[in-house]
Amino acid sequence: MVEAVREPRQDRSRATRQRLLAAAVDCLAEVGWSGSTVSVVAEHAGVSRGAAQHHFPTRENLFTAAIEYVTEERLTHLRANLPNLPPGRDRTEFVVHTLGEMFTGKLFRAALQLWVAAASDEPLKAQVVPLEARVGRETHRLTLEALGVDESRPGIREAVQATLDMARGLGLANVLTDDTKRRRRVLTQWTAMLTTAITE
Amino acid sequence: MVEAVREPRQDRSRATRQRLLAAAVDCLAEVGWSGSTVSVVAEHAGVSRGAAQHHFPTRENLFTAAIEYVTEERLTHLRANLPNLPPGRDRTEFVVHTLGEMFTGKLFRAALQLWVAAASDEPLKAQVVPLEARVGRETHRLTLEALGVDESRPGIREAVQATLDMARGLGLANVLTDDTKRRRRVLTQWTAMLTTAITE
């Protein structure tokens, strides 16, 4: 009976926590790091300030957890979007365009706010760097797999890294203006160059 | 005689202004947008708060001028670093590596702080966007010239844009950790891919 009572309460608590984390990501993407206080996030989540502080006593607690949440979301999003097409130009095109779009979404904008805030905030940096390293490794591995390429061939590893660097740069180019049309043309050209590099 | 007295005073005033703008860029790169107040910048420049406020009555005045200063500095830096080598792989390599390094320096870090702050600050955004468009066009034009390529050939324009997007992405990858070794390998691979794309 104790379990039966506890379960729904734990579920509710977990749901509240998830709502706060999702709201933290929204706030980061929309109003930036300096505007994203615990109160602002609680209001956005429709959670009382007291409940928010019960889950996350400090701003650092909240955003550390949000970093992990962003990380998991980005990887889940990536896994769901990287396809199982037969190798070739169509698959390369799909992977390149998927990555290009991924780095322009809300998760990228939220992560960008954290990176930039962490650049001048050592405690935050200490938490962001290892998570970013993990996301970087996982994204690289998933991209290799999706492209169906063999990393032991010279230049392949760097060509895949260049793809991710370019996607990140395209994400940054989209922060202040809608860069969609230009981005699509660049990604199409990049598909051609990457296809040559991985099949030659 | 009036002119003779005025000149040095104007020079001093101009020098103070330049010191404040250079300090604004340093502060942006080092402590980020939210930490870069007029007082912090004045102290960094070794200028009294009163003198700083004489030149720049508001924080917005100071950073608007600093944006222009960063812009001019970035373009000057680019012009000085883009070489006059004969076309070919060596020149492509020089241009690619120069761009890659350019986007990892202090000016990039300062500009990044402005972009990210502008994402959730409409008045700042209204000032950053047209300047960024100008820098983007000028950087593209200089890169085309330095590579010695003809933009009217299909794909060339996009290959040059991809190069700049990748350089921007590499800059972002270097904000929290020293990415120099990986970046050099990626730029070398990129040189090979770009050489193929522009000479085929």
Side-chain angles (χ1 to χ4, degrees):
Chain A
M1 278 304 283
V2 172
E3 281 307 305
V5 172
R6 256 191 191 157
E7 271 295 313
R9 194 178 295 164
Q10 282 184 350
D11 284 352
R12 270 202 309 280
S13 174
R14 205 166 16 232
T16 301
R17 195 172 183 278
Q18 289 288 100
R19 267 221 307 286
L20 285 165
L21 294 175
V25 173
D26 285 349
C27 290
L28 265 181
E30 285 161 25
V31 300
W33 170 252
S34 57
S36 295
T37 61
V38 177
S39 303
V40 166
V41 172
E43 200 185 323
H44 189 91
V47 168
S48 73
R49 216 186 128 157
Q53 279 174 332
H54 168 73
H55 283 278
F56 305 104
T58 69
R59 191 180 182 218
E60 195 169 88
N61 291 148
L62 172 59
F63 285 97
T64 307
I67 294 167
E68 295 222 46
Y69 179 79
V70 171
T71 304
E72 287 310 321
E73 285 280 298
R74 282 166 72 194
L75 292 177
T76 303
H77 186 77
L78 186 69
R79 279 187 207 100
N81 279 282
L82 285 178
N84 292 307
L85 296 168
R89 162 123 196 186
D90 282 357
R91 175 146 146 192
T92 303
E93 182 157 32
F94 188 96
V95 173
V96 165
H97 282 265
T98 301
L99 289 169
E101 296 309 318
M102 198 186 85
F103 280 83
T104 58
K106 185 175 74 179
L107 293 174
F108 174 79
R109 291 202 310 278
L112 179 62
Q113 291 286 341
L114 283 176
W115 294 332
V116 169
S120 50
D121 180 336
E122 286 299 326
L124 189 61
K125 184 170 161 178
Q127 292 172 334
V128 173
V129 167
L131 278 163
E132 267 315 306
R134 183 159 75 79
V135 177
R137 278 193 305 271
E138 185 67 2
T139 311
H140 183 87
R141 200 187 58 69
L142 285 168
T143 307
L144 270 179
E145 215 177 286
L147 289 170
V149 293
D150 175 6
E151 203 177 29
S152 68
R153 283 173 47 212
I156 296 297
R157 182 182 175 77
E158 289 76 17
V160 170
Q161 290 184 335
T163 303
L164 295 169
D165 288 312
M166 205 196 42
R168 205 184 299 115
L170 286 168
L172 195 48
N174 200 63
V175 165
L176 297 183
T177 49
D178 180 358
D179 193 38
T180 310
K181 275 172 73 178
R182 188 192 72 89
R183 179 172 64 251
R184 288 196 182 140
R185 287 197 299 267
V186 170
L187 291 171
T188 297
Q189 171 63 13
W190 177 248
T191 301
M193 292 170 75
L194 185 61
T195 301
T196 304
I198 65 184
T199 55
E200 74 189 351
Chain B
M1 276 303 285
V2 171
E3 282 307 304
V5 172
R6 257 189 189 159
E7 270 297 310
R9 195 179 293 165
Q10 283 183 350
D11 283 353
R12 271 203 309 278
S13 175
R14 204 165 18 233
T16 301
R17 194 170 185 279
Q18 289 289 99
R19 266 219 310 285
L20 284 164
L21 295 175
V25 173
D26 285 349
C27 290
L28 266 182
E30 284 161 26
V31 301
W33 170 254
S34 58
S36 294
T37 61
V38 176
S39 302
V40 165
V41 172
E43 200 185 322
H44 190 91
V47 167
S48 74
R49 218 188 127 157
Q53 278 173 333
H54 167 72
H55 284 278
F56 305 104
T58 68
R59 192 180 181 217
E60 195 169 89
N61 292 149
L62 173 58
F63 285 97
T64 306
I67 293 167
E68 296 223 45
Y69 179 79
V70 172
T71 304
E72 287 309 321
E73 286 280 296
R74 281 166 73 195
L75 292 176
T76 303
H77 186 77
L78 186 69
R79 281 187 205 100
N81 279 281
L82 285 178
N84 292 307
L85 296 169
R89 161 122 196 185
D90 282 358
R91 177 147 143 191
T92 303
E93 182 157 32
F94 188 95
V95 173
V96 165
H97 282 264
T98 301
L99 288 170
E101 295 309 318
M102 198 186 84
F103 281 82
T104 59
K106 186 176 72 180
L107 293 174
F108 173 79
R109 291 203 308 280
L112 179 62
Q113 291 287 340
L114 283 176
W115 294 333
V116 169
S120 50
D121 180 337
E122 286 298 328
L124 189 61
K125 185 169 159 178
Q127 292 171 334
V128 173
V129 167
L131 279 163
E132 267 316 307
R134 184 160 74 79
V135 178
R137 279 194 303 272
E138 184 69 1
T139 310
H140 183 87
R141 201 186 59 69
L142 284 169
T143 307
L144 270 179
E145 214 178 286
L147 288 170
V149 293
D150 175 7
E151 204 178 27
S152 68
R153 284 174 47 212
I156 295 297
R157 182 182 174 78
E158 289 75 17
V160 169
Q161 290 184 336
T163 303
L164 294 169
D165 288 312
M166 206 197 41
R168 204 185 299 115
L170 286 169
L172 195 48
N174 199 64
V175 165
L176 297 183
T177 50
D178 180 358
D179 193 39
T180 310
K181 275 171 76 178
R182 188 190 74 88
R183 179 171 65 251
R184 290 199 180 138
R185 287 196 299 266
V186 171
L187 291 171
T188 297
Q189 172 63 15
W190 177 252
T191 301
M193 292 171 75
L194 185 62
T195 301
T196 303
I198 65 184
T199 56
E200 75 190 351

